[in-house]
Amino acid sequence: MPTTRTQVAIVGAGPSGLLLGALLARAGIANVILEQRSGDYVLSRIRAGVLEHVTVELLEQVGCAQRLHAEGLPHAGFELAFDELRLRIALQELTGHRVVVYGQTEVTRDLMGHRAAAGLDTVYEATDVRPHDLESARPWLSYRHGGTEHRLDCDFIAGCDGFHGVCRTAIPAGVLKVFEKAYPFGWLGLLADTEPVAEELIYGHTEAGFHLCSMRSRTRSRYYLQCRLDERVEDWSDQRFWDTLRGRLPAEAAARLHTGPSLEKSIAPLRSFVAEPMRHGRLFLAGDAAHIVPPTGAKGLNLAATDVGLLAQALAEHYGGSDAGIAHYSQRALARVWKGERFSWWMTTLMHQFEGEGRFERRVRRAEFEYLCGSRAAQTALAENYVGLPL
Ligand code: FAD
Ligand code: DHB
């Protein structure tokens, strides 16, 4: 069997695997990424769009932020609309920080280009990846590529392979503790080359459900609608999407809505999920492989980035002679992850419509929004979580 060796073997070339690879390379640590899909497939997935300043700083550290600074849109605030109430969360004024609207696809494209230019190894279309001997000092991965069975020996394995990946399942069931909550709805997303309805994002709640107006640039919009879990994309013509969105938007915004043919439409279920611990022997989990948040607080991609920031630091310390970072990785990452989980759950609960809910819960939700409108302290709490807690 063809065998190669590296220091850190990374499974998954999503944002967490690619950013980890770049951070390790910068610290002089050799790494190889095994990705089950093709590069084009990875780039075709439309996902997150809001970057915290800590994520931007990590991309700057690896020299991968030039295009982000040239083309990304810094946002100093966003709007919440709740029935007829409107509230601007002044992120910069309340926290001193902004966020940057720059698509996950572009982050991935930049990191891929950077990796290729640096001559770092990525094996795309590596199938049947399996981790072995995690509890030994010599873990390894087996995989198939080009019809042949391969072996990759390493010091450590980083499981950056997303929620449906193989690394988490390699941790013995008795070791892993799982915390999970499924929400009774999903998000239907639409991407279109139309001018965004507003300069800042709008998160909205109405009796008919949640909506989010986001963007990728000044000429490309990204919109989301709360939908039922049994809904099928094929049943949503562009016209039906635009009509439904217009019906949920505040009247003044609805009048400004530009519509056009969709470039992409997809449905994602909403879920909260955490697997503990994030390390077993010489296997580390990072990003969606270890935790999922509902997208309402724009935390998924950002938590993935900060996990790998901590992990790269821990591995650099190891090669520098100290295992303290490795010993504390899971605990340190989870402390931040749980705060992201809490915030995402809270914002999801505040802004969505829960079918079958009683009148009491609806009024409490409205009271919570009214409290937010009247309290600078509550707005600050929201804003500091949204721009990202310190690493
Ligand atoms: P991923 O991006 O999932 O990358 C994992 C990689 O591992 C993939 O490339 C996958 O092909 C590869 N892989 C999986 N299994 C294997 C295997 N066995 N062998 C080799 N490779 C493997 N977040 C937001 O903040 N806002 C959003 O609007 C938003 N929308 C989302 C919509 C969808 C449909 C999904 C799934 C997620 C969304 N997220 C969103 C979350 C955000 O995109 C993720 O948090 C982010 O992608 C996490 O990055 P990651 O690298 O950890 O995982
Ligand atoms: C986007 C997605 C989110 O989940 C969010 O909270 C903000 C923006 C987006 O895709 O643009």
Side-chain angles (χ1 to χ4, degrees), residues 266-308:
S266 53
I267 292 181
L270 268 64
R271 182 198 310 273
S272 297
F273 174 92
V274 182
E276 293 183 352
M278 288 170 64
R279 172 193 164 208
H280 179 66
R282 292 209 160 211
L283 169 73
F284 299 92
L285 300 179
D288 280 17
H291 43 78
I292 296 285
V293 287
T296 322
K299 288 286 146 253
L301 170 59
N302 293 297
L303 287 176
T306 44
D307 281 358
V308 299

Side-chain angles (χ1 to χ4, degrees), residues 102-171:
Y102 189 67
Q104 175 168 338
T105 314
E106 303 314 314
V107 173
T108 308
R109 195 188 307 281
D110 294 346
L111 286 166
M112 270 182 180
H114 182 264
R115 192 166 175 88
L120 300 169
D121 257 352
T122 313
V123 184
Y124 285 100
E125 301 183 49
T127 56
D128 213 7
V129 176
R130 282 171 211 278
H132 305 274
D133 296 339
L134 302 176
E135 289 159 43
S136 81
R138 292 269 168 266
W140 57 286
L141 291 165
S142 58
Y143 64 98
R144 286 189 75 74
H145 186 246
T148 322
E149 194 70 28
H150 291 254
R151 172 178 173 134
L152 176 60
D153 290 336
C154 56
D155 300 333
F156 297 100
I157 297 173
C160 298
D161 51 347
F163 183 65
H164 299 287
V166 72
C167 290
R168 190 179 66 247
T169 64
I171 301 179

Side-chain angles (χ1 to χ4, degrees), residues 47-50 101 187 201 203 212 214-216 222 224 295-299 386:
R47 290 182 174 179
V50 175
V101 173
W187 278 16
L201 269 60
Y203 292 84
L212 167 59
S214 182
M215 66 197 74
R216 290 292 174 272
R222 179 73 169 159
Y224 297 96
T296 322
K299 288 286 146 253
Y386 193 86

